[in-house]
Amino acid sequence: MTEDKIELQLEPGSENAETYEMGDAQEVNELRRDLRPSHVFMFSIACSIGTGLVIGSGQALARGGPGSALLGYVTIGSVVFSVMTALGEMAAFLPMNKGFGGYATRMVDPALGFATGWNYFFKYIIAAPTNLTAAGLVIEYWRPDLNVAIWIAVFGVIVVTVNLFNVRVFGEVEFWAGGIKVCIMIILILTCFIVAVGGGPNHHASGFGYWNSPGAFAEYLLTGPKGRLLGWWACMRQACFAFTGTEVVGMTFGEMPDPRKNVPRAVKQTFWRIFSFYILGILVLGMALPYDSSDLLSATNSSTNADASPFVVAIRNAGIKVLPDFTNASLLVFTLSAASSDIYCASRSLYGLARDRQAPAILSKTVGKGIPIFATSISAAFIALGFMNASKSSSSVFDDLVSLVTVFAALNWLAILVSHIGFRRGLARQNIAVSELPYVGFLQPYASYYALTVTTRNLSANEDQGYNAFIPHFKIDIFILSYLGILLFILNIFGWKFWKRTKRVRGSTMDLMTGRREY
C-alpha cells in the first residue's frame, strides 16, 4: 500500500488543510470506517424499535382511538421516510463524518449547523438517562424494593464501556440487540393478530369490532369534533416519540464503508421497517384491544415495565398468562440498546461540532482505532441526569425527559429537511443533474416540503403537551418542557450568527465537490 499523501480542504475557507493517507483514507483524528453493512442494517432496526413503540403506543390508542392512532402513525411514518430519503441523497453524494450539523453548515448556514449539532447532542444526552431510567423501571417489575438509581449506575457503566471499544464492537452489540428486537416485535404483532381473529384462549374474535364500538376516534380533553381532533394530535405527538431514532442510522454514515452503495440500501430498508413494525403494530393493537379498556387506561399511567405495554394488556386479556415476564426481560434489551446508541450519537455529534470548529478542538481527538475519547466521556457524564430519580418519582422523571426528547427529535428532522432543500437548490444553481446522484429519494424534493410542513405544524402545536399546557388551565412546568427545546434551538442559531457573522450559503457557491470521492 502506498503512503502517498494529498492535501484536502474539507470546507470552503478552512484554515487548516487535513492530510489523508491514500489506500485507507484514514486521517489523524478521523473516525474509522469499520462498521460492516450488516452492523448498519441491524443498528438502524435497533434504533427504530424502542419503548416508544412497545409501550407508548398504548397512550396513542387510549387518547385517540384505533383510527386516530393508525392515521397518526401513517402520517409521521411518511414524514420519517421523507427525512431518510432526504438524508440519503446528501449522504450518498457527499459522505461526511460530521453528523447532521455538517450538512446544515454546508448547505444552509453555519449558524444552522451549529444549532443542529448541539440540538442532536442535547437530544441524546437526555435520551440516554431516559432509557436508563426505563431500564431501571423494568427491573422494578421484579425488585420494587431497590432504588432505580442503582440500576442507572450499573447499566450506565455497561453502555459506556461498549462505546469505548472500537466501533466494530459497538456494531456487533447492536447487531445482536437488533436481532432480538425484531424477534420480539414479530412475536408481539403475530400474537395480537391471532388474538384479534379468535385464536386466543378466550376465542373472542374481535376483528375490527372495536372500530365500531367504542369507535375509531376517541375524544381527548374536549368533547365533540374538537376533542377527536385533539385526540388525533395526541397520537401524532406520541408517534413522534415512537419514531424517534429512526434517522439515527445516518450517524453511522461516517463510519460506513462504501457509503455510495450502502447508504441508499440503508435508507430503502427504512420503508419496510416503518410498515412492518409501526403500521402493522398499531393496526393489530387497535384490533385486539378497545381504547376505553380499564386495563389499558391503567397501563398508560403505570411504570415503564411490561404492565404498561398495551401489547401485554391485549394478550393477557385474551387469557395468555406467560407473556409479561418474557416481555419485561425483552424491554431490558430494548432500553439498554437504546441507551448505548444514545451515547454513540451524542459523542459523534460533539465530534462533528469540533471538526467544524463549533466546539473545542480537543473533542475531535481520537485514540486507538478511531474512538473520539473526549467526546464520548463528556456524553457519558450526562447519564448522571438519571439520578434525579433518587429524589423524585421515576415515572415522573421519565415522562419529563420524554417530552424534551420528542421536541429535540422533531427539530432534528426539521434541520435535515431544510438542509436537503438547500442541497437541491445548490444542484439546480450549479447545473448538476439529479441523474448524477448515486441515490434519488422517492418523490424528492416534494417529499421534503411535505415533511417540513408537517414537522413545523407539530412543533408549533407541540402535540398534546403543547395545548395541554393551556387546557384546562395554564401549567408552567408543561409549558417549559414543551417549548424549551425550540427556544434553545432559536437562540443557538441567532447567537452563533451574530457572534461569527455567518452568511447564508448561496446555491451558486455551495461546495458540492469536497468529499465526492469513491471509497
Side-chain angles (χ1 to χ4, degrees):
M1 181 181 299
T2 63
E3 296 296 331
D4 300 330
K5 301 188 176 193
I6 61 173
E7 294 292 314
L8 178 64
Q9 290 276 6
L10 288 184
E11 300 292 343
S14 175
E15 296 177 358
N16 300 314
E18 298 180 338
T19 302
Y20 287 80
E21 294 182 5
M22 300 298 291
D24 61 1
Q26 183 63 43
E27 181 204 354
V28 175
N29 291 332
E30 183 83 2
L31 300 178
R32 296 288 292 270
R33 294 187 179 274
D34 284 343
L35 284 177
R36 298 170 179 165
S38 59
H39 290 160
V40 175
F41 171 69
M42 276 301 180
F43 180 71
S44 62
I45 292 178
C47 290
S48 61
I49 303 176
T51 55
L53 174 60
V54 180
I55 294 178
S57 52
Q59 189 177 84
L61 182 62
R63 292 182 176 182
S68 291
L70 180 61
L71 183 60
Y73 271 60
V74 169
T75 303
I76 299 303
S78 66
V79 168
V80 171
F81 183 65
S82 299
V83 170
M84 289 301 299
T85 57
L87 178 61
E89 280 194 1
M90 296 187 292
F93 186 70
L94 296 170
M96 295 176 65
N97 57 16
K98 297 182 179 181
F100 306 113
Y103 289 107
T105 293
R106 194 159 166 177
M107 311 301 176
V108 184
D109 191 310
L112 180 63
F114 175 82
T116 301
W118 282 105
N119 184 73
Y120 262 87
F121 175 68
F122 293 149
K123 188 257 187 181
Y124 288 111
I125 61 172
I126 293 174
T130 301
N131 283 302
L132 289 175
T133 297
L137 290 170
V138 167
I139 297 296
E140 274 194 346
Y141 180 78
W142 295 294
R143 292 298 303 271
D145 56 314
L146 297 178
N147 193 293
V148 172
I150 297 174
W151 302 111
I152 291 175
V154 172
F155 295 140
V157 171
I158 294 174
V159 299
V160 172
T161 300
V162 170
N163 276 272
L164 291 177
F165 285 108
N166 173 261
V167 71
R168 182 164 293 183
V169 175
F170 170 82
E172 198 68 24
V173 171
E174 291 301 316
F175 175 85
W176 290 105
I180 293 172
K181 288 184 177 184
V182 169
C183 293
I184 294 167
M185 284 309 304
I186 290 175
I187 291 172
L188 292 178
I189 291 173
L190 284 179
T191 305
C192 280
F193 176 75
I194 292 170
V195 166
V197 297
N202 63 357
H203 301 296
H204 174 60
S206 55
F208 284 95
Y210 297 137
W211 285 59
N212 296 319
S213 178
F217 301 96
E219 298 174 346
Y220 179 60
L221 293 179
L222 300 176
T223 58
K226 291 182 179 179
R228 288 188 287 273
L229 176 62
L230 292 181
W232 172 63
W233 279 1
C235 293
M236 294 274 282
R237 183 260 177 182
Q238 195 286 320
C240 282
F241 176 63
F243 279 101
T244 294
T246 304
E247 84 287 353
V248 170
V249 66
M251 298 295 289
T252 68
F253 292 165
E255 295 167 273
M256 176 193 293
D258 194 7
R260 295 181 186 275
K261 175 183 177 182
N262 291 316
V263 167
R265 181 181 300 171
V267 172
K268 291 174 183 177
Q269 291 163 350
T270 303
F271 172 81
W272 298 111
R273 291 197 302 274
I274 291 173
F275 177 77
S276 301
F277 298 122
Y278 289 90
I279 307 305
L280 288 182
I282 200 69
L283 176 63
V284 300
L285 187 61
M287 294 170 60
L289 187 66
Y291 73 78
D292 62 351
S293 165
S294 59
D295 292 330
L296 175 63
L297 297 176
S298 175
T300 57
N301 295 319
S302 175
S303 297
T304 309
N305 57 39
D307 284 338
S309 174
F311 291 95
V312 172
V313 173
I315 294 168
R316 179 184 289 156
N317 287 354
I320 302 174
K321 306 297 184 181
V322 298
L323 214 53
D325 284 296
F326 165 78
T327 303
N328 216 47
S330 303
L331 287 179
L332 192 59
V333 177
F334 277 49
T335 54
L336 293 183
S337 169
S340 179
S341 64
D342 292 336
I343 298 297
Y344 173 87
C345 293
S347 64
R348 270 48 178 187
S349 296
L350 271 186
Y351 173 85
L353 285 165
R355 290 293 301 273
D356 269 342
R357 292 183 292 175
Q358 295 171 340
I362 193 173
L363 296 176
S364 66
K365 180 178 176 57
T366 62
V367 298
K369 295 185 177 181
I371 303 300
I373 184 64
F374 293 108
T376 301
S377 300
I378 290 179
S379 301
F382 284 90
I383 287 175
L385 290 173
F387 291 119
M388 291 188 298
N389 297 295
S391 58
K392 188 178 179 182
S393 166
S394 301
S395 58
S396 176
V397 172
F398 179 81
D399 290 340
D400 291 346
L401 294 177
V402 163
S403 297
L404 284 173
V405 168
T406 303
V407 174
F408 285 133
L411 288 169
N412 294 342
W413 299 344
L414 183 147
I416 293 173
L417 294 167
V418 171
S419 299
H420 178 255
I421 291 172
F423 169 69
R424 277 301 191 105
R425 185 185 69 250
L427 292 178
R429 294 291 188 275
Q430 298 181 30
N431 296 317
I432 299 176
V434 174
S435 59
E436 294 184 37
L437 299 179
Y439 166 72
V440 179
F442 179 68
L443 294 180
Q444 291 292 2
Y446 310 106
S448 286
Y449 286 104
Y450 155 75
L452 183 63
T453 301
V454 176
T455 303
T456 303
R457 194 220 64 82
N458 287 349
L459 282 170
S460 62
N462 200 15
E463 309 310 338
D464 72 326
Q465 289 295 334
Y467 52 72
N468 203 20
F470 302 96
I471 300 175
H473 56 81
F474 180 71
K475 297 178 278 292
I476 184 63
D477 55 337
I478 295 180
F479 178 83
I480 291 174
L481 289 171
S482 299
Y483 297 103
L484 176 62
I486 299 174
L487 178 61
L488 285 175
F489 192 73
I490 294 174
L491 289 176
N492 277 336
I493 290 176
F494 287 102
W496 189 258
K497 192 168 187 66
F498 287 129
W499 184 27
K500 292 294 186 178
R501 298 291 190 268
T502 65
K503 295 182 179 180
R504 177 174 173 268
V505 177
R506 296 183 178 277
S508 58
T509 58
M510 185 182 298
D511 178 17
L512 295 176
M513 295 301 297
T514 302
R516 286 179 62 183
R517 61 184 188 275
E518 297 294 337
Y519 289 93

